Amino acid sequence: MKTEENVQEISRYINRELSWIEFNRRVLEEAQDKDTPLLEKAKFLGITASNLDEFMSVRVAGLLDLQKNGYNKKDFTGYAPASLLRRIFKRTSAFVAEQYKVYKELTRQLAKHGIRIHTFDELSASQQKAANHHFHQIVYPVLTPMAIDQARPFPLINSLGLYLAVVLTRSEDVGKEDAELHFAIVRVPPNFSRLVQVPTRGKAKAHFVFLEEIIREHIHTLFNGYAPVSVHAFRLTRNSDLVLDEEAAEDLLEEIEKELRKRRWGTPVRLEVEKGIHPYALEQLIEEFEISADVFEIDGGPLDLSCMTRLPEMIPENGSLKYPEVQPVYPEDFLEEDSLFDVIRKKDVLIYHPYESFQAVNDFLIEAAEDPQVLAIKITLYRVSGNSLLVRALERAAEYGKQVTVVLELKARFDEERNIAWAKRLEKAGCHVVYGLIGLKTHAKVTQIIRQEEDGLRRYMHVGTGNYNENTARLYTDVGLFTSDAEIGEDASSLFNEITGYSTAPRLNQLVSAPTWMAGELARLIGRETEFARAGSPARIIAKINSLSNQEMIDHLYEASQAGVKIDLIVRGVCCLRPGVPGLSENITVRSIIDRYLEHSRLFYFENGGEPETWLSSADWMTRNLTRRVEVMCPVRGRTTRDILVRILKLHLKDTAKARLLQPNGTYLRRTEEDGGFRSQFEAAKIKAWKKPAKRGQPSDVTAPAPADR
């Protein structure tokens, strides 16, 4: 009989949400790894908290909506919303408990190195004096106590904001058993640092106290005539997904601004409270938010550990407590000529971030903006850094009279407000800003520059796997291709015409776009390997992606495995495919690499009967990417660039230090070696050594690596 407990074991697929929880657990492992520097452990711990916040406010919120509306149909992994939610809350509760165990151990280890996080009572007299001064001079003026009674209704509680629940009694009633209780709320100011630094002596590096600890100590100053009975922190997570009627919206920018205001009133999803919260306070919160089963009682540390991501930047020391600083190198190909256009006209150039500098992409736009021969620039923007040189280059190009078209995705989740600001700024500079296609997110990463040259117009292209964001380009691994290939340039023009004008998605020459063509083309490429295997010809697939959750793609891979195709998948996050199942997927391996940098590139290798094809893409193999987003997959055809892409894949398949292998039961097994093993990101950092092209007469490196251990 199929039960909730054994459905995972008998399903052909792993559930997406449960797979995501396993991914976040792998991130937490980096905060537990003895080889991870201490301050980097703090960063990884904070990342797991931010990840969990987004998961609860989007994925869990969506499931709760389905349950509330009576939806009980099972997904392709065998779960209905109700049974899945039970599993999710059980696993996330255990995960949160593990987070706080890590926090306790981390603070203990940090203290040995002179970095302490105190409670207020643990501060010395001089440190308390400094904290008191900070409160009275900086914090107190912005605090607003909010009493709750018949005349003063419950205030708006912002999603993921940190608040103090204060239970009070009148000063004259202190000590009375029947004293009337009163309830109030104080928000911890979000625009101040949670970690407040206090003076240290001797060899101590840094001492901190949490901001809410300081406010708690002085809470009596906010309620004259009342005495605090208890003060405990709480935090509410709301549904943060936007619901847009794009068809009916007269102005998409205004519609999104309106929906962003509504986000503050999203349905409550999770309530976090400090252990020991006063029963009266908890009763008030549960009644107001109409939430009971989804209350997380936090023991052993502060609410909202995401603040730990900032700890490394607050400590100037850069020795053994942090990763050694790595300076991205400027791509050597672009040092050959004064102009990037001169280089790209002669050859394709593949660059690998963060080991190679994103400044090359900025320079591509900066040179285009100032080059009088450049007539037009077209670019897609999804997530942009706060102080973007690239955006400034686009503004200058428009001011110089060039035709600048920016496809700016306003619906990039949690970047909506920033992108609205960018849209207004670019429009003011004279750029033509387009918000994309109705019902679709534009997630492709494409730049096109049209230049007038002696022999006519030439299109210069950049196609990438990651966002045009110079900040994340130092933290994420991504690949970008510069090319002046005429067919790719023609395809890009067609793609931009589809987005900006009335044009159906055509079948392109070299680029493959979603949502119209990509799923079918990937199925064709996998099917071709299947036929080669059946015919006894070389058949091999290597795919590096962030997530794999589309059922049809998984089924195509299962069929290829059964035909004998050797398949190695490098999937950082969610993976719904079960590898290594006899008769189903015994020819498939899945590995996840979690390390210093976030693995973000999407790279594909198909053996093609001995004539390999390599691709880069903006798209993961998820239903949303293949059916609800504008995405691009670009062939990497030049010998040198193909060699580089294959070497990148080889580095990942050789990793024995940070790779975890997915097992048939959905767990991940880490391969550990006494010497630390082969660490792909550390080897990739030696880019000047391994990226050198093969000398003339030497064999190409395009042959795929041997199949991974199974």
Side-chain angles (χ1 to χ4, degrees), residues 236 268-271 285-295:
L236 182 69
V269 175
R270 172 187 61 166
L271 175 63
L285 297 175
I286 289 175
E287 181 179 342
E288 172 63 23
F289 304 137
E290 298 180 353
I291 194 169
S292 57
D294 310 327
V295 176

Side-chain angles (χ1 to χ4, degrees), residues 24 34 53 152 276 335 352 393 429 531:
N24 211 28
K34 61 180 177 61
D53 286 345
R152 290 167 289 194
L335 299 177
Y352 190 21
E531 293 306 313

Side-chain angles (χ1 to χ4, degrees), residues 411-422:
K411 302 185 292 292
R413 184 177 288 136
F414 302 122
D415 272 355
E416 298 96 344
E417 291 183 72
R418 176 180 290 179
N419 284 2
I420 287 170
W422 282 127

Side-chain angles (χ1 to χ4, degrees), residues 74 83 111 198 236 253 370 374 395 423 442 560 573 697:
K74 293 180 180 178
S83 60
V198 291
L236 182 69
L253 189 146
E370 299 177 354
V374 169
E395 291 175 316
T442 303

Side-chain angles (χ1 to χ4, degrees), residues 330-401:
Y330 200 83
E332 288 191 355
D333 293 284
F334 289 140
L335 299 177
E336 299 172 1
E337 305 277 356
D338 292 335
S339 168
L340 271 68
F341 296 129
D342 290 344
V343 175
I344 302 168
R345 187 165 53 247
K346 295 175 184 176
K347 62 182 180 181
D348 291 354
V349 177
L350 196 78
I351 62 173
Y352 190 21
H353 309 300
Y355 316 107
E356 290 179 296
S357 174
F358 188 80
Q359 187 58 39
V361 180
N362 286 336
D363 288 346
F364 186 54
L365 270 297
I366 291 169
E367 183 177 346
E370 299 177 354
D371 186 342
Q373 292 178 257
V374 169
L375 305 177
I377 300 172
K378 302 179 183 183
I379 189 170
T380 61
L381 296 180
Y382 192 75
R383 299 189 195 276
V384 186
S385 60
N387 187 26
S388 175
L389 293 174
L390 185 146
V391 168
R392 278 185 266 165
L394 294 172
E395 291 175 316
R396 279 205 305 275
E399 290 162 2
Y400 290 160

Side-chain angles (χ1 to χ4, degrees), residues 3-266:
T3 67
E4 181 189 337
E5 293 304 316
N6 65 21
V7 67
Q8 277 295 90
E9 298 173 5
I10 63 176
S11 174
R12 285 162 53 99
Y13 313 99
I14 299 169
N15 179 267
R16 170 178 169 168
E17 276 67 39
L18 300 183
S19 178
W20 183 91
I21 294 171
E22 287 300 312
F23 157 66
N24 211 28
R25 193 175 299 281
R26 296 194 294 279
V27 179
L28 187 61
E29 285 178 6
E30 291 302 298
Q32 298 168 299
D33 192 321
K34 61 180 177 61
D35 294 326
T36 303
L38 270 180
L39 290 173
E40 306 294 345
K41 288 184 177 184
K43 181 190 73 175
F44 280 114
L45 178 60
I47 289 171
T48 67
S50 297
N51 286 348
L52 187 59
D53 286 345
E54 182 172 347
F55 177 70
M56 298 298 274
S57 65
V58 179
R59 299 300 304 176
V60 172
L63 288 168
L64 286 168
D65 281 347
L66 290 176
Q67 183 186 45
K68 183 179 179 180
N69 293 325
Y71 185 89
N72 57 13
K73 184 179 178 181
K74 293 180 180 178
D75 64 18
F76 74 93
T77 68
Y79 280 100
S83 60
L84 182 55
L85 283 166
R86 285 195 295 271
R87 281 222 168 189
I88 287 172
F89 282 116
K90 181 179 179 180
R91 293 195 185 186
T92 51
S93 294
F95 180 80
V96 169
E98 189 67 23
Q99 280 181 311
Y100 281 90
K101 285 182 183 177
V102 172
Y103 174 78
K104 286 181 181 179
E105 177 61 21
L106 176 63
T107 52
R108 188 184 68 80
Q109 293 180 25
L110 286 170
K112 292 181 179 180
H113 292 268
I115 302 169
R116 293 181 179 272
I117 301 176
H118 296 282
T119 64
F120 193 91
D121 291 340
E122 292 171 342
L123 297 175
S124 67
S126 61
Q127 289 173 331
Q128 287 189 356
K129 183 178 179 180
N132 293 339
H133 182 268
H134 182 77
F135 175 81
H136 290 293
Q137 298 299 315
I138 306 295
V139 181
Y140 178 80
V142 303
L143 294 179
T144 303
M146 294 173 284
I148 297 167
D149 54 29
Q150 291 88 342
R152 290 167 289 194
F154 217 99
L156 171 66
I157 301 300
N158 289 58
S159 184
L160 303 178
L162 185 63
Y163 294 81
L164 295 177
V166 187
V167 177
L168 305 123
T169 187
R170 293 185 181 277
S171 299
E172 61 267 24
D173 292 338
V174 172
K176 295 180 181 179
E177 289 187 8
D178 59 347
E180 183 182 1
L181 297 178
H182 302 271
F183 184 60
I185 288 172
V186 177
R187 185 174 189 183
V188 178
N191 46 351
F192 292 160
S193 173
R194 282 277 307 286
L195 286 164
V196 178
Q197 196 159 357
V198 291
T200 61
R201 289 182 179 178
K203 296 182 179 180
K205 285 187 173 67
H207 286 197
F208 300 93
V209 61
F210 280 104
L211 178 58
E212 61 267 29
E213 282 278 308
I214 299 175
I215 298 173
R216 193 195 316 261
E217 179 66 21
H218 295 85
I219 201 73
H220 61 280
T221 65
L222 301 174
F223 300 98
N224 188 36
Y226 288 79
V229 175
S230 76
V231 185
H232 288 87
F234 75 92
R235 190 166 175 259
L236 182 69
T237 304
R238 295 183 181 273
N239 186 332
S240 296
D241 223 5
L242 297 183
V243 180
L244 296 171
D245 184 1
E246 296 182 53
E247 294 280 357
E250 294 183 11
D251 186 311
L252 184 59
L253 189 146
E254 289 183 4
E255 182 70 15
I256 291 176
E257 286 183 313
K258 183 173 69 177
E259 286 299 318
L260 285 174
R261 289 191 290 271
K262 287 183 182 179
R263 180 181 271 174
R264 295 179 298 172
W265 296 96

